[in-house]
Amino acid sequence: MQPLIKPNHYFLSINDQIRTISKPLLTHFGISSFVYSIIFADGSDLKLGTNPDWIEFFYNQHLYQLSQLENRPSFYTDGFVLWSQLPEHQILLKYARDNFNIDHGVTYVKASSDKTELFFFGTTRDNSDIVHYYINNLDLLKKFSQYFVTTAQPIINQANKHRIFIPNKFESMIVTPQGNLDIDYKNDFLQSIQIQPYQIDTTYKGINITAREWEVCGKLIQGKTAKDIAVELFLSSRTVETHLANIKEKLQCHTKSELIKKLHHFNLGSL
């Protein structure tokens, strides 16, 4: 097999910076391995991680063919997956465990139509108890993922210029992601569990507040800023401001302070 990546490749040269940014994972939780990856729809990708030897081995041994997390972006939706729950992934994991002492991991997936962002969190063979941490602290892993992308943006921008392009990558995949539903089944399911808009009370009969707007209201009267709310709800600040503008219009409020005063009437502080 022809090597896809050379020892002096950019992905392998910035591991010290990645380790520095990822240090809180090791210090606080014993997460010793972190990889940030983007899979693009054109078959190219980039990987930045704390262990450059593993990244080099992954590319040059063409291990992407054994991964259930390296396929087309259209295969994936946002969420978390434990590595141990990927049956066809186990040969790849054996390479990581036996050769690089990387094991007991979880991956956070952020999907869009043209690319998939993946955040791989792993530890050592002897740290199997960490799985309980993952399950109980998914929110912290999400927050770290957001922190990483923000902090490492200059590195990611540079890495984007050095993408690895793998001809016919998706056609050569040995394993295929499982559990994807036909879009009609997804839409039918989502329709069946759709949360109805809130009607605040008889005073505002006919004025509906969506579930997300209701959530934003609760955070607002707890004293949170739009930026705080955005971080807690994993939204952009602009989206939060849009929700607030919609709520003010619905409740006929001209200022944020007027809105907060009116919202206190509905006892949202416990949300």
Side-chain angles (χ1 to χ4, degrees), residues 223-241:
K224 304 292 177 63
T225 65
K227 185 176 180 180
D228 294 334
I229 297 170
V231 170
E232 291 192 18
L233 299 182
F234 301 102
L235 301 172
S236 69
S237 295
R238 180 178 296 179
T239 298
V240 172
E241 292 289 1

Side-chain angles (χ1 to χ4, degrees), residues 73-107:
S74 58
F75 275 100
Y76 304 102
T77 55
D78 291 4
F80 284 89
V81 57
L82 289 170
W83 299 352
S84 60
Q85 300 306 303
L86 298 172
E88 297 180 6
H89 209 79
Q90 298 311 304
I91 297 175
L92 170 61
L93 294 180
K94 189 175 188 303
Y95 279 115
R97 181 172 56 248
D98 293 350
N99 296 281
F100 301 94
N101 197 19
I102 300 172
D103 202 0
H104 308 300
V106 65
T107 299

